[in-house]
Amino acid sequence: MYEHIVLFKFKGNVTTEQKEEMIQTVKTFKDSIPGIIELSAGINVTGEIENMNGYSFGIRVTFQDEQASKDYFHHPLHQQFLQSVGGWIESVIVVDYPII
């Protein structure tokens, strides 16, 4: 299996409603994009404010394998999502790793 974690830092004008819309969109990926085993997305609610560094939204996707992750990146639904939220994003952190 292969894990994909994405953290978003938003520009100041992004609303909670827009973030909730992102969650709902991302949730549709599990049934629509092949190779996804598990998926979660949510607004960061940590109490460790000093460690957030402005990253207020996370997505975690577990894939069957690394190839499924690569296929996901190029999938039209994922690309459409990136285009729709691209103007909202100040910074992104991505972590990918095989699950051993």
Side-chain angles (χ1 to χ4, degrees):
M1 289 189 292
Y2 198 76
E3 198 82 333
H4 175 66
I5 299 170
V6 183
L7 304 175
F8 293 98
K9 182 186 296 187
F10 293 102
K11 294 178 180 175
N13 59 345
V14 178
T15 66
T16 300
E17 290 77 22
Q18 288 170 310
K19 292 176 188 177
E20 292 290 344
E21 181 182 315
M22 285 177 64
I23 293 169
Q24 296 310 312
T25 298
V26 168
K27 284 182 177 181
T28 68
F29 292 173
K30 186 168 189 273
D31 295 327
S32 302
I33 301 177
I36 295 176
I37 294 173
E38 194 174 305
L39 181 146
S40 65
I43 297 170
N44 190 353
V45 295
T46 185
E48 296 181 36
I49 304 299
E50 67 280 2
N51 294 318
M52 284 180 61
N53 296 312
Y55 290 90
S56 62
F57 189 89
I59 299 171
R60 185 190 53 80
V61 187
T62 304
F63 294 100
Q64 290 173 342
D65 53 31
E66 185 177 359
Q67 185 60 51
S69 175
K70 291 176 181 177
D71 294 343
Y72 162 85
F73 181 80
H74 297 290
H75 193 281
L77 287 176
H78 181 250
Q79 289 298 310
Q80 181 181 15
F81 171 75
L82 295 177
Q83 290 294 319
S84 69
V85 302
W88 302 352
I89 308 300
E90 179 179 322
S91 181
V92 176
I93 294 175
V94 176
V95 177
D96 292 333
Y97 56 89
I99 298 173
I100 302 172

